[in-house]
Amino acid sequence: MASHRRPKQPSRTRVTVLTTAAAAAVALSANAANAAPSEKPSKDEVKAKVDALYQDAEQATEKLDGAKEKQDKLEKQISALQDNVARGQEDLNQLRDGLGSMASAQYRTGGIDPSVALFLSSNPDDYLDKASAMDQLSSQQVEALKKVQGKQRELAQQRQEASEKLKDLSDTRAELKKKKQEVQGKLASAQKLLNSLTAKEKAALDEQQSRASRASERTVLGSPGKAASGRAGAAFAAGQSKIGTPYVYGATGPGSFDCSGFTSWSYAQAGVSIPRTSESQATIGTRIYSQSDLQVGDLVFFFGDLHHVGLYAGGGQVLHAPRTGTVVRYESMSTIGGAFQFGVRV
């Protein structure tokens, strides 16, 4: 027969512990619900972070441009080498064919020992003429052999050079891919920050940028500084025609530009070819370290690594393609963010 026992009642101590735990859980939940959310960065803080990311992106862009320039140069050099090798191989084949013809002719005319041929010859004078021709043919053959050997060495050297440049090209393409990813990553981070702003905050930032551009333009028009002349003047005029054109990393115009793409395009319109990247552009012409000595149209460089360049516009202003999200515009040199390093008169 089954026994009927009363269930064991929980002890008073256990009830107290459970009650206390439940109360604590309820309190924690209430605190979590009432806790203030993490403070959202202000518009100005977002702008500062975005500007820093854009500067990093521009720095990487100049490296990207340098890798592209190197890739283009290597591809041209490799193409020229491959053409030379192909033509050299045709020349070598012709030399070998000529050498083979000489060898066949010598075998047909000189396969018999000269003393035996003389003994059998019915016309010794005819033999002597042939012997003389054989000596001449042998000399031509030696010369042909030398040409073949020289052409072989030349082709081997060109093939080795092409092989080395192909490896260099492969490394450059890998660097190009890495830099492109770096730029895209910086821009994506900046866009994510901008997306965190409200429509009103975005509009305020846009208006702030527009006001800065209008103020710089008025300054330039009011105090042109030392006048531009010659090709520098023509380059500056070309640059002015592109005010309002958007910044796009890696672009060289005419529909969009990055900073060095803008300066190189402007000078190209004046018939002057300058290097593609800001770092390379800094190595040409005459350097000018005093801002007071600058003339309109001079190249002006910023940041210690020279990753930003523009055209001097007079009055302490620069005409440039600033960064992603902006357009070609005038701007005070003091507000760019990287100290003025020097100018270059092309």
Side-chain angles (χ1 to χ4, degrees):
M1 182 175 177
S3 62
H4 299 279
R5 297 180 181 178
R6 294 176 62 188
K8 187 177 180 181
Q9 298 297 316
S11 69
R12 183 173 298 174
T13 301
R14 187 180 177 201
V15 169
T16 302
V17 170
L18 290 174
T19 303
T20 302
V26 170
L28 286 172
S29 298
N31 288 337
N34 295 327
S38 58
E39 189 174 342
K40 178 184 174 183
S42 69
K43 170 176 66 67
D44 292 337
E45 288 173 334
V46 168
K47 180 181 182 302
K49 290 179 181 179
V50 167
D51 287 347
L53 284 167
Y54 281 155
Q55 287 297 339
D56 291 345
E58 185 184 37
Q59 186 177 23
T61 293
E62 285 300 303
K63 300 294 183 184
L64 176 70
D65 293 341
K68 283 182 180 177
E69 188 177 36
K70 184 178 180 182
Q71 175 182 260
D72 292 343
K73 183 183 293 185
L74 283 170
E75 286 176 343
K76 290 177 182 177
Q77 291 174 344
I78 289 168
S79 178
L81 278 170
Q82 289 174 337
D83 288 344
N84 288 340
V85 167
R87 286 194 297 269
Q89 187 62 55
E90 291 177 1
D91 293 342
L92 180 59
N93 291 340
Q94 290 177 359
L95 287 171
R96 283 174 171 164
D97 290 343
L99 188 59
S101 299
M102 290 181 187
S104 298
Q106 187 177 11
Y107 177 79
R108 289 193 300 270
T109 59
I112 303 176
D113 183 81
S115 59
V116 177
L118 181 59
F119 177 76
L120 298 174
S121 176
S122 58
N123 187 344
D125 291 337
D126 182 51
Y127 165 77
L128 292 174
D129 290 338
K130 288 182 180 179
S132 176
M134 284 172 60
D135 289 340
Q136 185 178 358
L137 184 64
S138 178
S139 175
Q140 290 174 350
Q141 191 174 28
V142 169
E143 186 64 27
L145 279 169
K146 289 180 179 178
K147 288 183 179 180
V148 167
Q149 290 172 339
K151 182 58 70 174
Q152 286 176 326
R153 284 193 296 269
E154 181 184 339
L155 282 175
Q157 183 178 350
Q158 288 177 338
R159 286 192 176 106
Q160 177 64 26
E161 187 177 353
S163 176
E164 290 171 358
K165 288 190 181 296
L166 281 168
K167 183 182 182 303
D168 197 6
L169 178 60
S170 177
D171 294 341
T172 300
R173 283 176 174 164
E175 180 188 2
L176 194 63
K177 181 179 179 181
K178 179 181 177 183
K179 289 299 177 187
K180 187 173 183 180
Q181 290 173 339
E182 183 179 346
V183 172
Q184 290 173 333
K186 299 289 185 183
L187 296 180
S189 297
Q191 189 59 54
K192 185 176 180 180
L193 281 170
L194 289 173
N195 290 342
S196 69
L197 297 175
T198 64
K200 184 177 180 180
E201 288 172 329
K202 288 179 182 178
L205 280 181
D206 291 341
E207 177 56 26
Q208 185 178 341
Q209 291 284 351
S210 297
R211 283 199 306 269
S213 296
R214 291 194 296 269
S216 292
E217 186 169 357
R218 286 195 298 270
T219 301
V220 171
L221 294 175
S223 54
K226 296 180 181 179
S229 61
R231 290 183 175 179
F236 185 71
Q240 286 180 305
S241 73
K242 289 300 176 182
I243 290 174
T245 303
Y247 178 104
V248 173
Y249 80 88
T252 57
S256 58
F257 300 96
D258 62 19
C259 72
S260 56
F262 171 68
T263 51
S264 59
W265 179 89
S266 297
Y267 265 94
Q269 308 318 298
V272 181
S273 177
I274 64 175
R276 169 65 180 91
T277 66
S278 60
E279 186 177 356
S280 296
Q281 289 176 13
T283 65
I284 63 173
T286 303
R287 287 195 177 186
I288 301 161
Y289 291 94
S290 173
Q291 186 172 321
S292 62
D293 292 333
L294 291 171
Q295 293 181 7
V296 174
D298 287 341
L299 298 172
V300 282
F301 297 87
F302 302 87
F303 299 94
D305 61 358
L306 310 177
H307 74 257
H308 189 72
V309 62
L311 299 174
Y312 186 62
Q317 307 289 306
V318 60
L319 177 61
H320 67 152
R323 62 179 186 276
T324 298
T326 64
V327 297
V328 173
R329 67 188 187 191
Y330 296 110
E331 191 168 350
S332 171
M333 291 168 63
S334 63
T335 62
I336 288 180
F340 166 68
Q341 301 297 308
F342 53 81
V344 165
R345 187 155 300 147
V346 179

